[in-house]
Amino acid sequence: MPPAATSAASRAAASPAKPAGKPQPLWTRSFVFGTLLNFFIAANYFMLMVVMTAYALDVYQAPASAAAFCASAFIVGTLFSRFSSAPLMERFGRTRVLVVGALLEVALTVLYLMNEPIGALIGVRLAHGFSYGMCSTAVATVITSIVPAERKGEGIGYFMLSITLGSAVGPFTGIFLSNNFGYEALFVVASAIVALSVPCALVLCIPRKTGAKASPRKADLAAEAAQDALAADVVQASDERKREDAAAGFAEAEAEAAPAGSVETAAEAPAPAHDSARVPSTRLEERIADKVEHSWLSRFVEAGVLPISIVCGLLFFGYSSLLTFLTPYATELGLARAASVFFVAYALAMFLTRPFTGRAFDRVGPHPVMVPAFASFIVGMVLVAFASNDWLLLGAALLLGFGVGTVQSCGLAMAVRVTPDERLSVANATFYMMLDVGVGIGPVLLGLAVPLVGYQALYLGMALVGACSLALFLVVARTEKGVR
């Protein structure tokens, strides 16, 4: 046997075995600080969003339309940021975009203290929405890139709890401070909270490359070298026979020495990165994906993420009816007391169920987890439509919290787990852009419908929107078993 072959074969045989089955850590420093950062910017967003219309009415004596736009201008700015965040991250890096976004969040929140004219206030709201969208997209991209592939659902579920806590703490704090201490105190506290995001952004440790991209290639090279070395030792067999025996021997040695999931055999090697994307399940979806991938839109939109993003965006269109019309509807029914704690119960349901649904998503896939979530949303909207007492309305809040929270976190997990690392920024931007579109256009379109049909019919219609989302999900996720 040639010395080189003997040496290679000896090294392959003497490779120490690593402990099998050890899961990759989830609660790393970067994961913790990234989740905290997301909580701080979400709390700042909700604190200001819930009082901005009242602030414009009370302080500026603005018309109702202009006051409402002071609140919704933030969403417009956020939507624009989704298009530019991915190119910015590709050019300057995720860390720089995240730090700059956090600094802009602080600076723009401080500007609310300047009592600028109404036009300048709207401009600040637009810029603040842009900085929030940039910062939230960057931190979501960082988190989805560092969460282990086998724990995507669990990790993203925990990460999304930061938004849940922000949506519970922010509105309560904003209303309490503005009612008891005035708007200046609110802006000072909001500035202090969002300032905590800056040190979080500075201590994040973002890996340059994920192991998933390099691992298959390294495994292939190692397999080839070991097979060649072992093949040289089979002197009496033909060349073809030697290669087959070497491959079988290497596979057996590798199965004994390597930890589960670390190195695949030649027969089980993963497909190339470009083949791991989700397979289109309909001809229409295939055509849309083909057009997006071969156009200038590919810089801003990830085609493979569009289907599940549209499903979640449609559900968030229905969710926008709660943000906009729940308070006047509950007041009309005499349920103002329940409405005041509706979103607390809603956030509590998210907080309690997301960790379990995330782990279930990783173990059994999307259908057993997300189909009940869509059904919960539908039933919750029906209960809101027919609410006659506080308990029915709060029961609806629990169902809606489970439904919206699970669809959002698991939908994002579905999107990012089939996206290569270099396209994660575009994938996250695409997903959140569809959510922004749903929440942004919902109040406008539904506001036109309410005077015509009334609140009860509106919420029955939102139950129908949930049913349409479920039907579309079943089409979109039909080929989910074909993803990596």
Side-chain angles (χ1 to χ4, degrees):
M1 178 187 299
T6 305
S7 175
S10 301
R11 285 195 302 270
S15 297
K18 299 179 182 179
K22 185 177 181 180
Q24 296 185 49
L26 174 62
W27 293 97
T28 60
R29 183 185 72 175
S30 294
F31 183 84
V32 171
F33 281 105
T35 303
L36 286 174
L37 185 153
N38 204 46
F39 166 72
F40 294 138
I41 63 174
N44 172 273
Y45 158 52
F46 285 106
M47 283 176 68
L48 299 176
M49 178 64 77
V50 295
V51 302
M52 195 51 59
T53 301
Y55 172 66
L57 290 171
D58 296 342
V59 175
Y60 294 94
Q61 303 299 311
S65 58
F69 189 66
C70 286
S72 59
F74 188 97
I75 302 297
V76 176
T78 303
L79 186 58
F80 277 110
S81 75
R82 304 302 187 192
F83 286 98
S84 54
S85 295
L88 286 173
M89 281 186 274
E90 289 175 3
R91 180 166 183 175
F92 300 107
R94 297 169 186 174
T95 307
R96 291 180 181 175
V97 171
L98 184 58
V99 172
V100 170
L103 290 172
L104 285 175
E105 284 268 295
V106 179
L108 290 165
T109 305
V110 170
L111 283 181
Y112 292 115
L113 290 165
M114 303 304 170
N115 290 323
E116 60 273 2
I118 187 70
L121 176 62
I122 292 175
V124 170
R125 291 293 291 168
L126 286 167
H128 194 183
F130 187 92
S131 67
Y132 172 78
M134 183 169 66
C135 197
S136 60
T137 303
V139 72
T141 302
V142 171
I143 293 299
T144 52
S145 69
I146 63 177
V147 171
E150 68 276 9
R151 302 181 74 179
K152 285 291 185 192
E154 181 185 2
I156 292 175
Y158 283 124
F159 172 70
M160 286 295 185
L161 284 178
S162 59
I163 300 178
T164 303
L165 290 175
S167 68
V169 173
F172 174 80
T173 306
I175 294 172
F176 177 80
L177 290 175
S178 61
N179 288 342
N180 294 279
F181 299 98
Y183 293 109
E184 287 191 0
L186 166 64
F187 296 146
V188 169
V189 173
S191 300
I193 288 177
V194 81
L196 295 173
S197 68
V198 177
C200 291
L202 291 173
V203 300
L204 280 176
C205 180
I206 304 172
R208 292 180 178 270
K209 293 181 180 179
T210 61
K213 291 182 66 178
S215 164
R217 179 61 180 157
K218 288 181 180 179
D220 290 344
L221 291 175
E224 215 172 300
Q227 287 175 12
D228 288 340
L230 290 173
D233 197 30
V234 190
V235 181
Q236 302 299 326
S238 64
D239 290 342
E240 183 177 354
R241 180 64 178 172
K242 284 190 292 183
R243 174 68 68 177
E244 293 175 357
D245 291 343
F250 176 76
E252 184 176 353
E254 184 186 46
E256 294 176 357
S262 61
V263 181
E264 285 91 3
T265 63
E268 297 175 345
H274 63 273
D275 289 335
S276 63
R278 184 181 173 279
V279 179
S281 58
T282 65
R283 186 176 297 274
L284 176 62
E285 184 185 332
E286 185 177 359
R287 288 179 180 177
I288 293 174
D290 184 66
K291 287 184 178 180
V292 171
E293 288 173 353
H294 298 88
S295 72
W296 60 271
L297 279 174
S298 61
R299 290 194 60 194
F300 310 100
V301 175
E302 178 65 17
V305 175
L306 270 177
I308 188 61
S309 301
I310 292 172
V311 170
C312 295
L314 183 59
L315 192 81
F316 266 67
F317 173 83
Y319 166 69
S320 70
S321 65
L322 298 172
L323 295 176
T324 310
F325 303 112
L326 179 70
T327 299
Y329 174 53
T331 303
E332 182 181 284
L333 295 175
L335 303 177
R337 183 178 59 178
S340 65
V341 294
F342 180 93
F343 286 102
V344 175
Y346 173 91
L348 180 64
M350 281 189 180
F351 188 81
L352 293 176
T353 59
R354 267 183 172 170
F356 303 103
T357 56
R359 285 195 289 267
F361 176 89
D362 291 329
R363 292 172 182 170
V364 299
H367 289 82
V369 178
M370 294 183 71
V371 170
F374 280 106
S376 180
F377 179 89
I378 296 168
V379 175
M381 282 297 181
V382 172
L383 286 180
V384 171
F386 291 104
S388 57
N389 57 62
D390 291 350
W391 295 110
L392 276 178
L393 196 61
L394 293 178
L398 295 173
L399 290 172
L400 289 165
F402 165 66
V404 175
T406 301
V407 169
Q408 183 187 23
S409 59
C410 293
L412 180 58
M414 282 181 65
V416 299
R417 74 175 183 172
V418 297
T419 303
D421 184 74
E422 65 273 8
R423 295 287 292 177
L424 271 179
S425 58
V426 186
N428 279 281
T430 302
F431 184 82
Y432 283 108
M433 181 173 59
M434 290 296 103
L435 299 190
D436 292 340
V437 168
V439 173
I441 67 174
V444 177
L445 298 180
L446 299 177
L448 298 174
V450 166
L452 301 176
V453 300
Y455 291 119
Q456 186 180 65
L458 171 72
Y459 285 110
L460 287 175
M462 294 306 97
L464 183 60
V465 167
C468 292
S469 302
L470 172 58
L472 187 59
F473 166 77
L474 294 175
V475 173
V476 162
R478 193 171 64 189
T479 56
E480 180 64 17
K481 292 182 179 179
V483 303
R484 61 184 170 86

